Amino acid sequence: MKWITAYLNEVGRHLDPATSEGVLEELRVSLEEAARDIASGNDPSETQQKQAINAFGHPMKVASEFNGPRYLIGPLWFGTHLSTLKIVTAIVVSISIGLLLTVYVTDGQTTSVLRSLTGVLDTALTAAVVVTIVFIVLGASAEQIDPYVDWTADKLSLRGAQPLWRVSVGDQLFNLASEVIFLLWWNGAIVFTNVFPTLEGDIPIALGPVWQALYWPLNVLVAGYLLLHVSIVVRCVWSRVTLWAEIALGLVLLVACAWVLLHPPLVVLAGDASAAGSLPHRLAIAFVIVIAGLTLWDLGSAARKLFGRDGNAGMGTITSP
């Protein structure tokens, strides 16, 4: 019953992970019984599955009945509030990053990492507060306004019948922050203190020639990771498409790491610094190896999910017979 499976997966996206498996099983039994009643005891057709789903209502509304009270906004609007908040935050952060890069490209103006992050966070927090206030007002008038009244099962997609896996939002937010900082630094919009301390004083340090050939490839690669992780944070789940995208990007990143390691030096020191030159180069090699190791770990995790060997990654998804 693919339509019922797609509906259950959509409900599961908005459930508490601690209780989602039991709730989804309960809903599956109820939905299949309702669909078979409509089909007079026979196997229900797609139309009859949709009729049963329509009787249950919008996935967010059903999930809100199992998630307990949401005192600030109310259960009716809480799921929509979270989805809207994620989308608005992603848009605001993207615009803020674009403005930082535009100012650098047009005026050559750079800024510190702390100042950049503070500005982006302030803007995102302001947007989040405005969105939350709007939904508090909507929640207070929930008896008069039902955001899900016109929803039908025809708005579901059979892509939702694919297996889904929950994500660690904290890990993805860390990934996003790292990717944003890298893109801003890589393109010169933010600056670090690029010196190597020695007994004789601080010596300026710069990237080696190998990195020049990777300027645009790394821009495209990290931007791809950024878009992927934004979509994952918004949906709160992995799917087969996003897992394959993670694997593809990871393989490209591994190739880039190998390319860099095969073309030393990774960093160069200004002036007569031959005695100290080996240490920053070794540190850079170690950093690249760590990145490659983390990428391999992510590739393994994605592969375990795709090929059914990650028993702890699921979200209680129900497979249709």
Side-chain angles (χ1 to χ4, degrees):
M1 298 187 184
K2 291 184 177 180
W3 287 102
I4 289 178
T5 299
Y7 179 76
L8 292 172
N9 285 344
E10 191 65 25
V11 173
R13 289 179 53 207
H14 309 288
L15 288 172
D16 184 345
T19 59
S20 62
E21 186 171 355
V23 170
L24 290 175
E25 177 61 24
E26 178 182 341
L27 287 174
R28 181 191 65 81
V29 172
S30 299
L31 273 168
E32 290 185 353
E33 287 180 352
R36 287 194 174 93
D37 287 342
I38 295 173
S40 301
N42 299 316
D43 289 337
S45 64
E46 292 187 358
T47 300
Q48 290 164 336
Q49 290 179 51
K50 290 180 181 180
Q51 290 175 355
I53 291 170
N54 289 337
F56 276 67
H58 195 288
M60 285 187 183
K61 187 172 183 179
V62 173
S64 69
E65 298 173 1
F66 294 93
N67 282 333
R70 309 292 186 178
Y71 296 106
L72 184 62
I73 294 173
L76 189 61
W77 285 95
F78 189 77
T80 306
H81 166 254
L82 286 182
S83 299
T84 304
L85 192 60
K86 293 172 186 175
I87 294 172
V88 169
T89 302
I91 293 173
V92 168
V93 170
S94 299
I95 293 174
S96 299
I97 295 170
L99 289 175
L100 286 172
L101 291 174
T102 301
V103 169
Y104 171 72
V105 171
T106 56
D107 298 335
Q109 181 179 341
T110 60
T111 183
S112 67
V113 178
L114 181 60
R115 184 175 179 181
S116 299
L117 290 179
T118 301
V120 171
L121 289 175
D122 284 346
T123 305
L125 182 60
T126 301
V129 170
V130 172
V131 170
T132 301
I133 291 174
V134 170
F135 277 93
I136 289 175
V137 174
L138 291 173
S141 58
E143 294 182 358
Q144 291 77 35
I145 304 174
D146 186 346
Y148 312 124
V149 65
D150 296 325
W151 184 88
T152 66
D154 291 327
K155 296 181 180 180
L156 286 172
S157 170
L158 281 181
R159 288 181 299 176
Q162 298 176 353
L164 302 171
W165 297 266
R166 288 194 180 277
V167 303
S168 170
V169 176
D171 289 347
Q172 298 308 317
L173 291 177
F174 175 80
N175 289 336
L176 290 175
S178 303
E179 291 150 7
V180 167
I181 292 173
F182 176 84
L183 284 174
L184 292 175
W185 168 75
W186 188 243
N187 290 280
I190 59 176
V191 294
F192 293 94
T193 303
N194 296 330
V195 296
F196 180 69
T198 67
L199 294 176
E200 292 77 17
D202 292 340
I203 300 176
I205 187 172
L207 295 177
V210 62
W211 297 101
Q212 296 177 6
L214 293 177
Y215 176 74
W216 283 112
L218 284 181
N219 265 318
V220 174
L221 177 61
V222 178
Y225 266 118
L226 184 63
L227 292 175
L228 172 64
H229 293 147
V230 166
S231 68
I232 292 170
V233 169
V234 170
R235 288 183 55 82
C236 287
V237 290
W238 290 95
S239 66
R240 291 191 182 278
V241 173
T242 52
L243 285 171
W244 278 115
E246 175 87 357
I247 289 175
L249 290 171
L251 291 174
V252 174
L253 181 54
L254 287 177
V255 171
C257 290
W259 172 268
V260 169
L261 294 174
L262 292 173
H263 292 79
L266 275 61
V267 295
V268 294
L269 297 178
D272 185 12
S274 58
S278 61
L279 178 56
H281 176 66
R282 290 199 302 269
L283 290 175
I285 289 177
F287 179 77
V288 172
I289 291 175
V290 168
I291 294 298
L294 293 174
T295 303
L296 284 171
W297 176 270
D298 290 339
L299 287 175
S301 177
R304 287 193 299 272
K305 291 182 177 69
L306 279 172
F307 300 109
R309 297 180 181 179
D310 193 346
N312 296 322
M315 55 178 292
T317 305
I318 307 301
T319 304
S320 60

